[in-house]
Amino acid sequence: MAQVPQTFLDALAVRAWCGLALEALGRSREEIDAINVYPVADGDTGTNLYLTVESAAAAVEAVFTGHEAGNATRPGGTPGGVSGGPTLADALRAMAHGALIGARGNSGTILAQLLRGMAQVLAGEEAAARADGQGLRLALRHAADSARRAVAHPVEGTVLTVASAAAEAAGGAEGDCGTVARAAYEGARAALAATPGQLAVLRRAGVVDAGGRGLVAVLAALVETFTGRAPRAMPAVGGPWSGSVRATDPVLHARLHHVGGVPAEGAAGKAQGAGDTEDAGDTGHTEDAEERRASAEAPGALPPGAAEVGECADGGAVPGPGGPAFEVIYLLEADDAAVARLRERLDGLGDSLVVVGGDGLWNVHVHVDDAGAAVEAGVEAGRPYRIRITHFGAGDVHTTGAERSPEERAQRAVVAVVPGEGLAGLYAEAGATTVLARPGEPPASGEIVQAVRRAHAREVVLLPNDTDLRHTAAAAAEQARTEGIRVALIPTRSAVQGIAALAVHEPERRFDEDVVAMTSAAGATRYAEVTVAEHQSWTMAGICQAGDVLGLIDGDVAVIGQDLAATAGAVLDRMLAAGGEMVTLVLGDGAPEAVAGHLEARVREGYLAVDTVVYHGGRQGALLLIGVE
């Protein structure tokens, strides 16, 4: 659908920009992943930028949906109308917040700060209903400056350079928002073309900076928002900066010739530790990291301003000897003073330090040798959560004894969405690649697609483990199929159904036979959960009050009680009334350990030949999950 041009920035323009940027990054994601060579060739910069913008776009859509719902219930309201819709400040704040909480890797973290910087200018206390060219110029300038301040030791030739050039070009433009946006795009495009002359690893690989390339795509979407036409595309290799430059890194060359298929997950063999794959850094690169990597190889003849980095045998940039082994990322609730102290401490622990955010919520990114110390520093500063730890250079965490080369794909893998850290560990031990779904924070389709890629297999069995995720998982499966991966989606509605499916998984079987067996096992498993009501509500079992213990069987409230053990026992009795051979109990963090013992004794004494197995799910939302096979 063609974008209707307009000359100013308002809430609708912000919404359109987010949508167009998401589409642009979706089209160029694989290309950007493929050129991610600095400082770690882990091939996920495009994916991380896509996930960051996806989170921003979802937040903006939520604001519009909320206003439309309000208008629908207000006498004389105008659902979907501009007069009753969100303001420019509402949309910009939502965009910035969504990007902050959904930022992935170094590239996404920097982009989140760029968007936040724009919002600080255009959504301030004296925010207008819409912004003109002058406002956009000021916003782009502040965005570039704030992003640079967020990085402990900025290095030129990265997305920071591209953002600064965009702001400078915009500052010299006179006219409406379309004119300013186009000037920013052209300035960014020229700066991106020059990045190989600033970082030697880019020059040798024959590519531009991946994070900068992503920012150019986002700015192109801004131009299209205002003009209705997308500007010309920016090549990633063989561009105008050097007529003879091509990808000389063998692994990179292979990646670039498989765009549209399955890109390699990185010559450096980056491993996934806890949480989702993260961009190990194509933005916000630090000077000390650059110097350390430079020691891995004798410097050669370099263009002015170029920096030397260490390389592995195939030319991919890798951490030098003695360099940080882990990437640590987390969201942090803390005040400004505590964050200032945290910056100093983390800067002493490692490099590639980027801290973005404000108003009590921050996104922290750092490369360190002691991941525990980095997390402990966050605990001392405030409340860290969504903690992700990635280990560089140790292969995929899901590979065991017989490790395979980064280029070799497994024949088959299982990818599962799981609701708690404990279950994530259980699934991983069984060989699955996991996507963690925290309470109230369901994963986006892009996160599931990323996990499918991380599994690095020709065939993938996908377990969403949640009824509400069926459409998201279906979209992810469809995307993966376009990349040449054979995907079977088993519509598991609970993690206990996923456990049953995983228990009968046999990779040696034919794919269809394996899928049928896993689907049958999941379908034969009844599921239930025990939780606490947050407010008064009508249910299938009657009216519940806030604080009541609810027992849900197959998604519907079946029991309302006051005691956790008694309610869980009643639920279990109802489920076993129809028969069963195996009971699976998954305890959440808030459930007393004694509950499991009580239910085990109940099964042992009341139901002959029925076995019980107990797992600890961690922060899974429900106090207790129950499965009966």
Side-chain angles (χ1 to χ4, degrees), residues 128-277:
R130 58 191 190 183
D132 57 11
Q134 170 67 7
L136 184 58
R137 284 197 297 272
L138 295 174
L140 290 170
R141 178 73 270 167
H142 182 71
D145 293 343
S146 64
R148 189 169 287 268
R149 286 193 299 269
V151 178
H153 305 285
V155 167
E156 298 306 327
T158 66
V159 69
L160 296 177
T161 306
V162 176
S164 294
E168 183 150 352
E174 295 292 337
D176 59 19
C177 285
T179 302
V180 173
R182 181 169 290 279
Y185 168 78
E186 294 296 346
R189 193 173 186 274
L192 178 64
T195 56
Q198 295 172 296
L199 285 176
V201 66
L202 301 179
R203 177 181 60 82
R204 286 193 298 270
V207 298
V208 294
D209 178 68
R213 172 66 180 86
L215 179 59
V216 167
V218 172
L219 289 173
L222 186 62
V223 173
E224 186 175 358
T225 298
F226 294 122
T227 67
R229 297 182 60 185
R232 65 187 187 279
M234 177 72 199
V237 293
W241 59 87
S242 173
S244 61
V245 171
R246 293 294 185 272
T248 54
D249 175 343
V251 173
L252 175 66
H253 186 274
R255 282 194 200 155
L256 292 172
H257 284 78
H258 283 81
V259 169
V262 182
E265 285 299 322
K270 172 183 169 185
Q272 175 65 21
D276 301 324
T277 300

Side-chain angles (χ1 to χ4, degrees), residues 120-441:
Q120 286 176 319
V121 171
L122 299 175
E125 294 181 359
E126 300 180 0
R130 58 191 190 183
D132 57 11
Q134 170 67 7
L136 184 58
R137 284 197 297 272
L138 295 174
L140 290 170
R141 178 73 270 167
H142 182 71
D145 293 343
S146 64
R148 189 169 287 268
R149 286 193 299 269
V151 178
H153 305 285
V155 167
E156 298 306 327
T158 66
V159 69
L160 296 177
T161 306
V162 176
S164 294
E168 183 150 352
E174 295 292 337
D176 59 19
C177 285
T179 302
V180 173
R182 181 169 290 279
Y185 168 78
E186 294 296 346
R189 193 173 186 274
L192 178 64
T195 56
Q198 295 172 296
L199 285 176
V201 66
L202 301 179
R203 177 181 60 82
R204 286 193 298 270
V207 298
V208 294
D209 178 68
R213 172 66 180 86
L215 179 59
V216 167
V218 172
L219 289 173
L222 186 62
V223 173
E224 186 175 358
T225 298
F226 294 122
T227 67
R229 297 182 60 185
R232 65 187 187 279
M234 177 72 199
V237 293
W241 59 87
S242 173
S244 61
V245 171
R246 293 294 185 272
T248 54
D249 175 343
V251 173
L252 175 66
H253 186 274
R255 282 194 200 155
L256 292 172
H257 284 78
H258 283 81
V259 169
V262 182
E265 285 299 322
K270 172 183 169 185
Q272 175 65 21
D276 301 324
T277 300
E278 293 300 319
D279 172 28
D282 71 281
T283 61
H285 312 310
T286 63
E287 292 171 346
D288 49 339
E290 178 71 9
E291 291 168 0
R292 186 184 62 254
R293 291 179 176 90
S295 67
E297 178 182 278
L302 302 175
E308 182 65 74
V309 300
E311 287 191 325
C312 60
D314 59 22
V318 297
F326 297 95
E327 178 186 54
V328 178
I329 304 173
Y330 50 79
L331 291 179
L332 177 71
E333 293 178 357
D335 59 36
D336 291 1
V339 170
R341 294 191 296 270
L342 176 66
R343 287 178 190 270
E344 292 182 6
R345 181 168 179 189
L346 292 180
D347 197 22
L349 288 176
D351 59 37
S352 293
L353 174 60
V354 186
V355 182
V356 303
D359 300 322
L361 181 62
W362 309 82
N363 192 309
V364 179
H365 173 284
V366 67
H367 294 176
V368 294
D369 278 320
D370 190 343
V375 175
E376 288 172 6
V379 172
E380 292 179 5
R383 187 178 81 87
Y385 59 103
R386 288 202 197 179
I387 300 168
R388 300 181 181 92
I389 301 174
T390 303
H391 181 211
F392 297 127
D396 193 307
V397 74
H398 304 297
T399 62
T400 55
E403 294 183 322
R404 58 183 184 270
S405 67
E407 295 80 12
E408 182 185 351
R409 295 167 65 191
Q411 180 60 34
R412 190 175 308 157
V414 176
V415 173
V417 180
V418 292
E421 294 86 348
L423 281 175
L426 173 67
Y427 273 74
E429 288 177 7
T433 298
T434 62
V435 180
L436 191 59
R438 297 169 180 81
E441 301 172 5

Side-chain angles (χ1 to χ4, degrees), residues 10 63 102-103 181 197 288 343 346 446 526 556 576 587 607 612 627:
D10 62 3
V63 167
D288 49 339
R343 287 178 190 270
L346 292 180
R526 299 189 69 196
D556 293 323
L576 287 172
L587 291 178
Y607 303 93
T612 304

Side-chain angles (χ1 to χ4, degrees), residues 24-98:
L25 288 171
R27 291 190 300 269
S28 58
R29 178 193 55 74
E30 290 184 0
E31 171 200 328
I32 297 171
D33 281 347
I35 64 171
N36 176 199
V37 299
Y38 176 73
V40 178
D42 54 355
D44 59 1
T45 293
T47 298
N48 287 328
L49 287 168
Y50 179 88
L51 293 174
T52 301
V53 173
E54 184 179 47
S55 180
V60 173
E61 285 301 317
V63 167
F64 271 87
T65 300
H67 277 267
E68 289 166 2
N71 286 332
T73 59
R74 186 181 305 119
T78 55
V82 175
S83 61
T87 65
L88 172 61
D90 292 334
L92 285 170
R93 290 183 188 124
M95 176 184 69
H97 181 74

